[in-house]
């Protein structure tokens, strides 16, 4: 069984400022802001929502297909995917563009200033949901606006159930457009901030939103998550990380857990716990694709965390 993951691919350039932004930004002078931060520590990571979700799903021994548009600089990332056993079959290279680039500067208070260049991601609509991949489930995660809309429609046309996961792409859509996604999707997932924004833009209550999909999943950070399904609300407990190094990509790991649970027809109590644990493991490592484990190790930790097996 395979999952088609529609979304962004990006290089994350992460820089660490060994001070606090607030010590260098004068509130009364923000209208003429001109600051420079010395960042002696820097690393480059493989990222993007589609890449992160696929990486985590592969760790769970499933077969993810990534569908994305990338630039002429993608070759190192392609080699990494090959090393991980992840196919690039549905990744389209656009030679006149860069792969998406995120430049993230973090200070000692864990505040972040991020600049994102979408590059080839803006042309995600150049791809279409394939007819020949025997896809059993899909996800529409942050990507180019037109691509997200067209891919959702294509999933519906092919009768493929999918998760709507707008993430940081939420601001691109107005209330009517978000309602259209909810009408098309089988499942929808948001963090608590995105969920508040969804309610504001659509004018719907949580209960009304939940009625439009088979399951609505809302993550609450360290408070766990909630699954609204069939008129009930299922509380998913958080999984505690052994250490907190880097929350970047935690949400993508969680969503890979959702896909894994749906592929294997687990109930929502188990699916949510798998997703929660996957997110916690990611937090324990810097970068979004540097953690690893065997399925035996994952199942053992699941039992230690939740006192049950799956």
């Amino acid at each position: 069984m395979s999952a088609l993951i529609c979304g962004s691919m990006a290089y994350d350039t992460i820089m660490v400022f060994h001070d606090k932004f607030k010590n260098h930004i004068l509130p009364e002078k923000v209208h003429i802001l001109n600051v420079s931060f010395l960042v002696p520590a820097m690393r480059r990571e493989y990222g993007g929502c589609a890449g992160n979700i696929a990486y985590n799903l592969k760790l769970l021994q499933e077969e993810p297909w990534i569908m994305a548009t990338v630039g002429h600089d993608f070759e190192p990332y392609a080699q990494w995917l090959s090393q991980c056993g992840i196919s690039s079959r549905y990744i389209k290279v656009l030679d006149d563009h860069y792969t998406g680039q995120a430049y993230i500067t973090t200070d000692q208070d864990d505040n972040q200033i991020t600049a994102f260049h979408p590059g080839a991601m803006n042309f995600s609509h150049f791809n279409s949901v394939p007819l020949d991949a025997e896809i059993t489930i899909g996800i529409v995660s942050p990507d180019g606006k037109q691509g997200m809309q067209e891919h959702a429609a294509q999933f519906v046309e092919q009768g493929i159930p999918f998760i709507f996961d707008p993430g940081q792409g939420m601001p691109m859509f107005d209330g009517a457009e978000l309602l259209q996604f909810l009408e098309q999707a089988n499942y929808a997932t948001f963090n608590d901030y995105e969920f508040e924004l969804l309610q504001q833009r659509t004018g719907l209550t949580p209960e009304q939103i939940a009625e439009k999909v088979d399951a609505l999943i809302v993550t609450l950070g360290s408070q766990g998550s909630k699954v609204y399904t069939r008129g009930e609300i299922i509380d998913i407990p958080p999984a505690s990380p052994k250490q907190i190094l880097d929350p970047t990509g935690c949400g993508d790991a969680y969503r890979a857990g959702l896909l894994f649970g749906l592929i294997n027809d687990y109930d929502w109590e188990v699916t949510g716990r798998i997703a929660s644990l996957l997110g916690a493991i990611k937090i324990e490592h810097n970068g979004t694709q540097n953690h690893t484990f065997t399925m035996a190790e994952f199942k053992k930790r699941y039992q230690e965390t939740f006192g049950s097996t799956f």
Side-chain angles (χ1 to χ4, degrees):
M1 300 177 73
S2 56
L4 187 70
I5 303 168
C6 307
S8 62
M9 301 290 285
Y11 290 110
D12 295 338
T13 300
I14 302 169
M15 297 160 282
V16 180
F17 177 49
H18 293 166
D19 200 342
K20 301 177 180 180
F21 294 143
K22 66 182 181 182
N23 294 336
H24 299 265
I25 298 176
L26 303 176
E28 69 277 11
K29 297 293 184 180
V30 292
H31 62 292
I32 52 170
L33 187 64
N34 187 355
V35 294
S36 177
F37 303 111
L38 178 65
V39 287
M42 185 182 83
R43 67 181 192 274
R44 196 184 197 203
E45 304 281 2
Y46 301 116
C49 294
N52 296 339
I53 294 170
Y55 178 82
N56 284 278
L57 193 55
K58 187 66 178 182
L59 288 178
L60 296 172
Q61 300 183 349
E62 296 297 342
E63 290 302 319
W65 295 102
I66 297 172
M67 190 170 78
T69 43
V70 299
H72 56 77
D73 55 346
F74 187 66
E75 182 56 28
Y77 204 153
Q79 293 178 7
W80 168 247
L81 292 177
S82 178
Q83 181 181 330
C84 296
I86 300 172
S87 174
S88 297
R89 178 178 178 181
Y90 299 112
I91 297 176
K92 184 184 292 292
V93 177
L94 304 180
D95 291 330
D96 294 334
H97 300 276
Y98 287 101
T99 301
Q101 311 275 335
Y103 297 91
I104 305 165
T105 303
T106 303
D107 74 357
Q108 291 180 332
D109 284 338
D110 287 331
N111 295 308
Q112 291 185 329
I113 296 175
T114 300
F116 184 72
H117 172 67
M121 189 186 82
N122 277 335
F123 304 94
S124 61
H125 55 282
F126 286 9
N127 278 326
S128 297
V129 174
L131 300 173
D132 60 347
E134 297 183 356
I135 299 160
T136 53
I137 193 167
I139 183 169
V140 175
S141 59
D143 212 347
K145 179 178 180 178
Q146 183 177 344
M148 291 177 70
Q149 293 171 316
E150 292 185 4
H151 298 155
Q154 290 159 9
F155 278 131
V156 173
E157 290 168 5
Q158 296 190 35
I160 299 171
F162 76 95
I163 300 172
F164 175 48
D165 168 34
Q168 60 264 43
M170 279 280 291
M172 294 190 296
F173 303 105
D174 60 26
E177 291 167 330
L178 290 168
L179 282 172
Q180 178 67 23
F181 279 118
L182 292 173
E183 295 288 349
Q184 295 169 317
N186 302 81
Y187 317 98
T189 182
F190 309 88
N191 65 27
D192 47 357
Y193 176 81
E194 294 158 0
F195 192 48
E196 287 289 340
L197 182 59
L198 177 70
Q199 293 173 67
Q200 291 178 15
R201 295 203 169 178
T202 62
L204 299 180
T205 65
E207 293 74 21
Q208 290 172 321
I209 295 169
E211 289 175 356
K212 294 186 174 296
V213 290
D214 294 334
L216 165 69
I217 304 96
V218 181
T219 59
L220 306 168
S222 62
Q223 303 303 308
S225 51
K226 292 182 180 294
V227 180
Y228 299 74
T229 181
R230 297 186 179 90
E232 65 173 324
I233 302 175
I234 301 170
D235 289 310
I236 305 298
S240 298
K242 296 177 180 178
Q243 59 180 343
I244 299 176
L245 285 185
D246 183 4
T248 307
C250 174
D252 296 330
Y254 185 99
R255 280 142 184 79
L258 296 180
L259 286 170
F260 178 78
L262 289 166
I263 289 170
N264 290 281
D265 200 28
Y266 291 124
D267 61 34
W268 283 109
E269 286 84 354
V270 171
T271 296
R273 284 167 170 77
I274 290 171
S276 180
L277 178 57
L278 201 54
I281 291 172
K282 205 307 315 158
I283 288 175
E284 298 166 356
H285 300 77
N286 283 314
T288 58
Q289 298 180 29
N290 294 323
H291 54 294
T292 187
F293 52 78
T294 66
M295 276 303 292
E297 291 169 339
F298 187 82
K299 288 183 176 181
K300 179 182 178 182
R301 184 156 173 191
Y302 182 97
Q303 184 174 23
E304 292 171 348
T305 302
F306 301 113
S308 60
T309 59
F310 67 90

